[in-house]
Amino acid sequence: MSKATEISSHDAGATAAHEDHHEHHIPKGVMRWILTTNHKDIGTLYLWFSFIMFLTGGAMAMVIRAELFQPGLQIVEPDFFNQMTTVHGLIMVFGAVMPAFVGLANWLIPMMIGAPDMALPRMNNWSFWILPFAFAILLASLFTEGGGPNFGWTFYAPLSTTYSNDSTALFVFSVHIMGISSIMGAINVIVTIFNMRAPGMNWMKMPLFVWTWLITAFLLIAVMPVLAGAVTMVLTDKFFGTSFFDAAGGGDPVMFQHIFWFFGHPEVYIMILPAFGIISHIVPTFARKPLFGYASMVYATASIALLSFIVWAHHMFTTGMPVYMEMFFMFATMLISVPTGVKVFNWVATMWRGSMTFEVPMLFALAFIVLFTIGGLSGLMLAITPVDFQYHDTYFVVAHFHYVLVSGAIFSIMAAVYYWLPKWTGRMFNIGLAKTHFWCSLISVNVLFFPMHFVGLAGMPRRIPDYSLQFADYNQWISIGGFAFGLSQLIFLAVVIQACRKQGEPVSDRVWEGANGLEWEIPSPAPYHTFETPPVVK
Amino acid sequence: MAKPASNRAMVTRLVVIVVGMFGFGFALVPLYDVFCNITGINGKTNASAAVYTAKEIDRSRQVTVEFLTRTHTGMPWEFRANTKRIKVHPGEMATVNFYVRNPMRKDFVAQAIPSVSPGEAALFLNKTECFCFNQQPLAGGGEATMPMSFYVDPQIPEDMTYFTVQYTLFDVTARADSLDDTDNPFLNRTGRSD
Ligand code: HEM
Ligand SMILES: [Cu+2]
């Protein structure tokens, strides 16, 4: 590896010199943002885009919860309800969580490895700017005659082929663009990490956020093309007479699920591995102890990523697989919880006998650890094949994936924003308001998602606009939690806007007493160009 | 900005992986069929006629084969199995008949898709003749009896004593190979003559 490191420091120097030559001034106005190749600008763009998508997808969730506030149909048509669940899922996965992590990667990876920018700045600009078009197309499809996609974010054939309307073409096109964007982002991350590390930043010194993102980026380039293939097959089945998924023409609809989940399960890890990295930065900072078991964290991340390729059929237990396959996928799935457990253990061990303080990022990180573990446990329950026949396609599954994605991935993103925001803006955010945001979110997220376990176990199916009367009370609670959680995010918006307007106390370079890493060595706010001459890592 | 050479080499390699994985997504389609043919996990049966090769008939035991029929959404034909259930010795040839009627004025072409459950049994069901091997045209108002001959492989495990073959009839008129394919014995056998 030493040879690679040498080359990389050389490259970093060359790139920095070049950059310097071109950009003495920061361009002003809109054109700055459209033409920018600066990793910090692009990071900011990604983060704002993600937040706008989070609110858009959130508004759709509010429609869903308003309809489910009472049994019966009162606000929207069932077909529109289905469009809301579908587009909510797509926006949250591809528009909110993934771009937020890419934004954080842009901001942080170069600063953490001592590089002046991402390795491929032009491509970086493209990979961001095609995203708004993808989502504009997806959202526009809602206004076409017959409405937008209504087959669920998993777009199972034949729902998306035989039974869908013509706006499916728009859906396919927008997923293609999202895929291209994330593949370009992933390539950029990999090349940056391989070629741009500062001298002395060897593999086992790399910060965990960088490690987890490197592994995530490999997952992305492995499975996003498979998703692109799946939507392409849906497109040709629907419009060009192929029959990949049509039994009448020799195809097989169950095969759709195999292909989709071959992408889909690694995809859920794409949405959680960078979160593991973030938490591994925040916990040591506020426990004032180095991370417990750094190497085991790296190996655990890698094993989770590898195992994620052999568990996909746990989403398909009820499709009538032979018993030995059900057993294989059950045990493989349970195996994944071992490295996941290693991580939780390491975070707890890091806090053990640490001098803990509870600043806002730490509050979110602690909530993450507890609530993500709850989601992991319900995942383990779902992995038990015989009981999954009861839980499958009920609200229990909805509870599971919202615990891992909302109180998991999204809480980790908020923790990251609170942790690095002072470095970005140079000011401390409004701590009182941020704590209010935390407590409101923490309480409402549990009111929102915990009762879903109960209604799910009692048999309430997912993706249905109406339900039997016995679920009414719980659903009312769930909806109230939902509205409260949605409104709480406006507090977050207020905190971020205040910070961007440079309100608040200036912060020191290190910002947090226990913070460690190259990004804390540079001034606050982080200058437009950093590490133009690579630092030497000891 | 000129990219350093090592970046370019790396991007090329990564793009190769991306293209390869896109291809792999499509390769999953034939792989899936091969895998299912070997393991029989999706209950698909042989798509063309098998040759009767059983050397002996295992008279010591019997396997019950049940036949179910259904028509796919939008397919108006009447479709039923004349024999609902049959007991055969492994290795023994049997023929069962299915009845179809096209109640519409319009000519239709149908394709029957079999599915065996439990899936593993598909490996031991050998059809020597089946209406599902070809598309079946039927003139408006017509009816037909369609035979299916099979034997159960004597290799079938002892504990597999009962399995179900379900035929689903799909309307494939729109994409039929050829409506006036006169070689096909089912065409116009009973026309709308009345
Ligand atoms: C201990 C780890 C985990 C286990 C054992 C596990 C297991 C499962 C199982 C068995 C299902 C299928 C349930 C069904 O449909 O009947 C499922 C669904 C799901 N899981 Fe997990 N899971 C784990 C972690 C995660 C993580 C970390 C994420 C994302 C960050 C995640 C996201 C999802 C999603 C989105 C679905 C639902 C997909 C859909 O049908 O729409 N899971 N999980
Ligand atoms: Cu999964």
Side-chain angles (χ1 to χ4, degrees):
Chain A
M1 275 310 145
S2 68
K3 187 151 173 281
T5 323
E6 253 167 61
I7 296 170
S8 71
S9 58
H10 181 85
D11 287 349
T15 324
H18 231 98
E19 229 18 49
D20 226 20
H21 188 74
H22 276 291
E23 287 187 275
H24 270 299
H25 315 284
I26 307 172
K28 288 263 153 12
V30 191
M31 289 320 271
R32 162 180 172 186
W33 297 104
I34 292 180
L35 299 176
T36 185
T37 56
N38 178 287
H39 73 101
K40 300 189 182 79
D41 281 352
I42 294 176
T44 306
L45 285 171
Y46 265 111
L47 287 168
W48 273 113
F49 177 77
S50 146
F51 199 64
I52 292 167
M53 284 296 115
F54 181 56
L55 295 180
T56 313
M60 294 172 185
M62 298 299 100
V63 174
I64 296 170
R65 282 324 316 175
E67 177 57 53
L68 292 176
F69 189 74
Q70 283 177 22
L73 295 174
Q74 39 271 323
I75 297 175
V76 293
E77 295 289 313
D79 183 55
F80 187 71
F81 181 91
N82 289 347
Q83 293 173 37
M84 286 292 103
T85 53
T86 304
V87 183
H88 162 76
L90 290 166
I91 287 193
M92 289 307 197
V93 168
F94 296 104
V97 175
M98 290 170 67
F101 283 132
V102 181
L104 291 169
N106 264 291
W107 254 104
L108 298 172
I109 289 176
M111 289 183 351
M112 285 178 168
I113 62 173
D117 204 313
M118 297 295 277
L120 311 159
R122 293 255 172 91
M123 191 168 89
N124 208 4
N125 174 286
W126 276 101
S127 69
F128 173 76
W129 276 111
I130 60 177
L131 263 192
F133 291 95
F135 286 91
I137 294 170
L138 181 64
L139 289 170
S141 76
L142 286 172
F143 298 96
T144 58
E145 210 183 311
N150 60 3
F151 30 70
W153 81 281
T154 51
F155 60 101
Y156 280 11
L159 294 179
S160 57
T161 52
T162 316
Y163 301 104
S164 66
N165 64 29
D166 284 349
S167 76
T168 308
L170 296 177
F171 157 80
V172 169
F173 191 44
S174 84
V175 171
H176 274 148
I177 304 176
M178 295 170 201
I180 293 170
S181 165
S182 29
I183 288 170
M184 293 203 293
I187 290 181
N188 213 342
V189 166
I190 295 174
V191 178
T192 307
I193 296 174
F194 269 80
N195 289 354
M196 308 264 291
R197 277 169 293 130
M201 174 66 73
N202 60 34
W203 291 105
M204 290 316 262
K205 274 190 193 156
M206 253 169 31
L208 267 173
F209 181 70
V210 180
W211 254 119
T212 51
W213 237 113
L214 180 64
I215 292 167
T216 304
F218 275 108
L219 283 182
L220 276 167
I221 62 168
V223 300
M224 289 310 279
V226 176
L227 172 70
V231 287
T232 308
M233 291 181 219
V234 164
L235 184 79
T236 59
D237 264 18
K238 180 156 183 61
F239 295 103
F240 304 109
T242 58
S243 27
F244 289 106
F245 309 127
D246 182 1
D252 188 337
V254 175
M255 184 179 69
F256 173 86
Q257 296 185 32
H258 282 289
I259 297 177
F260 179 82
W261 289 115
F262 182 84
F263 147 81
H265 189 80
E267 167 68 19
V268 307
Y269 282 98
I270 287 167
M271 294 190 282
I272 205 67
L273 293 184
F276 291 163
I278 291 165
I279 302 306
S280 306
H281 282 248
I282 294 176
V283 169
T285 299
F286 298 102
R288 292 173 181 73
K289 270 176 65 194
L291 182 70
F292 182 90
Y294 169 88
S296 67
M297 284 297 209
V298 174
Y299 298 133
T301 312
S303 14
I304 291 175
L306 288 176
L307 286 173
S308 74
F309 285 103
I310 56 159
V311 299
W312 76 87
H314 63 211
H315 297 273
M316 303 171 55
F317 284 143
T318 57
T319 54
M321 285 187 292
V323 173
Y324 60 88
M325 285 184 67
E326 309 247 41
M327 301 264 282
F328 171 81
F329 284 106
M330 168 164 107
F331 289 124
T333 304
M334 292 181 164
L335 202 59
I336 290 206
S337 40
V338 177
T340 314
V342 167
K343 288 182 169 290
V344 174
F345 178 86
N346 285 350
W347 293 321
V348 174
T350 306
M351 291 187 275
W352 179 251
R353 300 206 165 151
S355 322
M356 295 233 284
T357 51
F358 301 95
E359 283 86 344
V360 181
M362 184 64 162
L363 290 175
F364 273 98
L366 291 172
F368 171 96
I369 296 173
V370 175
L371 300 180
F372 174 77
T373 306
I374 293 179
L377 286 174
S378 57
L380 221 54
M381 291 172 69
L382 291 166
I384 305 169
T385 310
V387 298
D388 184 64
F389 276 72
Q390 181 190 340
Y391 305 159
H392 180 65
D393 263 344
T394 68
Y395 259 78
F396 192 80
V397 178
V398 181
H400 159 65
F401 68 73
H402 283 93
Y403 263 87
V404 285
L405 285 172
V406 179
S407 55
I410 293 192
F411 268 32
S412 83
I413 293 164
M414 289 170 178
V417 169
Y418 283 123
Y419 186 55
W420 282 290
L421 190 63
K423 172 55 69 186
W424 302 336
T425 64
R427 307 292 171 121
M428 184 49 76
F429 50 81
N430 183 333
I431 293 175
L433 209 53
K435 285 200 169 159
T436 315
H437 170 228
F438 170 74
W439 287 109
C440 287
S441 298
L442 180 73
I443 294 167
S444 59
V445 89
N446 285 292
V447 176
L448 166 55
F449 295 124
F450 209 83
M452 287 185 182
H453 293 111
F454 306 138
V455 288
L457 291 180
M460 176 167 159
R462 61 188 284 206
R463 294 170 169 163
I464 301 276
D466 186 9
Y467 49 82
S468 337
L469 291 179
Q470 72 266 31
F471 304 129
D473 291 356
Y474 276 133
N475 271 287
Q476 230 156 59
W477 277 108
I478 294 171
S479 287
I480 291 168
F483 300 137
F485 185 77
L487 290 175
S488 310
Q489 303 324 309
L490 300 178
I491 310 177
F492 185 43
L493 181 65
V495 177
V496 175
I497 289 179
Q498 277 186 6
C500 293
R501 287 213 183 134
K502 307 269 175 203
Q503 293 167 9
E505 292 291 308
V507 290
S508 68
D509 293 355
R510 188 158 298 276
V511 182
W512 314 103
E513 186 189 43
N516 265 310
L518 285 179
E519 78 271 29
W520 307 109
E521 311 286 335
I522 56 179
S524 299
Y528 199 59
H529 296 293
T530 39
F531 297 124
E532 297 182 275
T533 43
V536 177
V537 181
K538 288 167 291 297
Chain B
M1 191 189 76
K3 287 172 195 157
S6 61
N7 281 0
R8 201 165 285 162
M10 184 130 204
V11 172
T12 315
R13 260 174 290 170
L14 293 171
V15 169
V16 170
I17 300 182
V18 169
V19 174
M21 287 309 292
F22 186 69
F24 177 73
F26 285 88
L28 283 174
V29 176
L31 283 176
Y32 178 81
D33 282 342
V34 170
F35 188 74
C36 292
N37 268 337
I38 297 170
T39 59
I41 54 170
N42 67 349
K44 276 196 191 162
T45 56
N46 53 313
S48 54
V51 180
Y52 182 65
T53 54
K55 293 195 190 69
E56 62 201 72
I57 296 172
D58 182 353
R59 302 235 172 247
S60 66
R61 58 187 172 129
Q62 282 191 315
V63 177
T64 308
V65 185
E66 189 176 71
F67 297 97
L68 297 179
T69 55
R70 61 184 282 259
T71 51
H72 193 61
T73 321
M75 178 54 161
W77 289 17
E78 215 179 297
F79 177 36
R80 61 172 185 263
N82 292 348
T83 308
K84 305 283 182 218
R85 201 174 288 118
I86 189 172
K87 281 190 173 181
V88 290
H89 295 291
E92 175 190 3
M93 280 297 304
T95 300
V96 289
N97 286 314
F98 291 76
Y99 170 81
V100 280
R101 193 175 77 85
N102 176 0
M104 311 297 279
R105 291 180 164 277
K106 187 167 109 57
D107 298 353
F108 269 88
V109 183
Q111 171 73 56
I113 304 284
S115 172
V116 176
S117 59
E120 295 100 312
L123 292 177
F124 306 99
L125 172 71
N126 294 306
K127 292 172 293 172
T128 55
E129 186 196 344
C130 181
F131 54 93
C132 61
F133 294 152
N134 305 98
Q135 297 183 342
Q136 304 298 345
L138 200 55
E143 57 181 0
T145 301
M146 310 189 297
M148 186 282 234
S149 305
F150 71 97
Y151 70 97
V152 174
D153 193 322
Q155 303 289 321
I156 191 166
E158 294 281 332
D159 60 353
M160 213 177 261
T161 56
Y162 194 115
F163 63 85
T164 304
V165 184
Q166 175 185 275
Y167 283 99
T168 307
L169 209 58
F170 289 80
D171 171 13
V172 293
T173 312
R175 61 172 122 167
D177 294 340
S178 168
L179 253 178
D180 37 35
D181 175 359
T182 38
D183 289 348
N184 197 306
F186 290 99
L187 186 69
N188 290 332
R189 275 184 318 180
T190 56
R192 189 178 45 232
S193 49
D194 46 319

